[in-house]
Amino acid sequence: MTSRNSQRLGSNRVAHVVLILGSLVMMFPFLWQLKMAFSSQAEIQSVPPDVLPAKLQWSNFSEVFQRLPFLDQFWVSVAVTAGRTIGQLVLCSMAGYAFARMSFRFKGLMLALILSILMVPSQVYLIPQYQIIQSLGWLDSVQGIIAPGIFSAFGTFLMMQFFRTIPAELEEAARLDGCNPWQTFWKVVLPVARPGLISLAIITVLASWADLLWPLVIATSPEKMPLSVGLATLAGYQGTISPGVLMAAALMAMAPVLILFVVLQRRVVEGIAFSGLK
């Protein structure tokens, strides 16, 4: 073995050791949460802390259902996430294609206005959104939570940038075959834009599932709240609820997204890499 090969092997080993240590550091909060979810109150407060619980406390999980309408809130979170994701895939892809390929009056001005939303904190337009939803009679409703999230400036910009990378020859060939603009978009361009759509879907799912501020303002009934608000409400009872129950509730709330990530791990990595969120 040459000295160059031995140096390369040594550097690879060092890189693997660093990556393993880094992954353990990143996994520690999740492992600690898992440990607390199955621990009793005494084990959580013990000093020094126990590495593993002496007996798995499944009662922490059952108590979550007693404290919260967990299933109702779970389905609200599913509905909100699905509604926002479908809405953004449809609206942002159409808007992105229009800005990328079509010519119309005030195109630059409209694009500048949409992109300017990215520079403004979401809290600034919280009150106008609330007034609009109130005028529609959608307070304390699932559609009221979904509505402001079915379109995003970031999603439009993401899809516009992706459509610009698609060769214009594909659209020209479709026009020569007699396709109108809608058929060109739906049958030719959109199938090619699958990586961009996957990226947008991943980002929207993660953001919608964890969204807290807007649902906290809109939802007042426990059964109309998503899980993010339900957990925040549960965490407010710090004096009357065990940390183990809180960790159990948080673990159950993150389980669907975690399972989805494991099943679609390759797509998630490709989508995040495409979107540039590194």
Side-chain angles (χ1 to χ4, degrees):
M1 181 181 294
T2 64
S3 59
R4 181 176 296 179
N5 290 334
S6 61
Q7 291 177 356
R8 183 179 301 174
L9 181 60
S11 61
N12 288 338
R13 288 176 178 174
V14 172
H16 282 90
V17 171
V18 172
L19 291 174
I20 291 172
L21 293 176
S23 63
L24 291 176
V25 171
M26 296 183 67
M27 288 177 60
F28 179 77
F30 173 73
L31 296 176
W32 190 255
Q33 176 189 8
L34 190 64
K35 180 257 181 186
M36 290 185 65
F38 288 96
S39 300
S40 63
Q41 180 76 8
E43 290 173 331
I44 293 174
Q45 296 177 343
S46 64
V47 179
D50 299 324
V51 178
L52 293 174
K55 182 180 179 181
L56 298 181
Q57 301 294 321
W58 295 101
S59 59
N60 289 339
F61 293 86
S62 61
E63 188 174 345
V64 173
F65 292 93
Q66 298 173 7
R67 298 272 186 166
L68 289 176
F70 188 87
L71 292 179
D72 292 334
Q73 294 180 355
F74 171 78
W75 289 116
V76 170
S77 293
V78 171
V80 170
T81 302
R84 288 184 175 183
T85 303
I86 294 172
Q88 290 210 24
L89 288 178
V90 174
L91 298 179
C92 293
S93 62
M94 294 172 65
Y97 180 73
F99 284 117
R101 294 302 198 196
M102 295 182 176
S103 298
F104 50 89
R105 294 183 62 185
F106 308 114
K107 174 182 174 180
L109 177 60
M110 292 178 63
L111 180 60
L113 289 174
I114 291 176
L115 295 183
S116 65
I117 299 175
L118 297 174
M119 307 177 191
V120 181
S122 59
Q123 293 84 354
V124 172
Y125 42 84
L126 188 66
I127 295 178
Q129 283 183 350
Y130 182 89
Q131 292 175 336
I132 293 173
I133 297 300
Q134 185 181 37
S135 64
L136 293 173
W138 287 356
L139 293 180
D140 196 24
S141 66
V142 176
Q143 61 267 29
I145 302 175
I146 294 175
I150 62 173
F151 178 82
S152 71
F154 173 79
T156 301
F157 177 75
L158 179 69
M159 296 307 302
M160 180 187 68
Q161 292 299 103
F162 185 83
F163 286 133
R164 285 179 174 175
T165 64
I166 297 176
E169 289 78 6
L170 290 176
E171 298 167 78
E172 293 174 0
R175 294 190 191 100
L176 291 175
D177 289 338
C179 292
N180 57 38
W182 172 253
Q183 291 172 329
T184 301
F185 168 73
W186 183 255
K187 296 183 178 180
V188 178
V189 177
L190 205 59
V192 182
R194 186 177 179 184
L197 295 172
I198 292 174
S199 301
L200 180 59
I202 291 169
I203 295 169
T204 307
V205 166
L206 295 178
S208 298
W209 192 266
D211 188 21
L212 175 62
L213 180 59
W214 176 249
L216 189 63
V217 172
I218 289 297
T220 55
S221 303
E223 65 276 5
K224 299 292 182 63
M225 296 178 178
L227 283 175
S228 57
V229 181
L231 291 179
T233 304
L234 192 64
Y237 304 126
Q238 294 180 357
T240 61
I241 191 168
S242 168
V245 177
L246 286 174
M247 293 300 103
L251 190 64
M252 289 193 294
M254 67 181 291
V257 178
L258 185 62
I259 294 172
L260 188 65
F261 174 81
V262 172
V263 174
L264 302 176
Q265 183 177 3
R266 181 178 176 183
R267 295 293 186 184
V268 171
V269 173
E270 291 177 352
I272 294 177
F274 167 79
S275 65
L277 300 180
K278 301 178 183 179

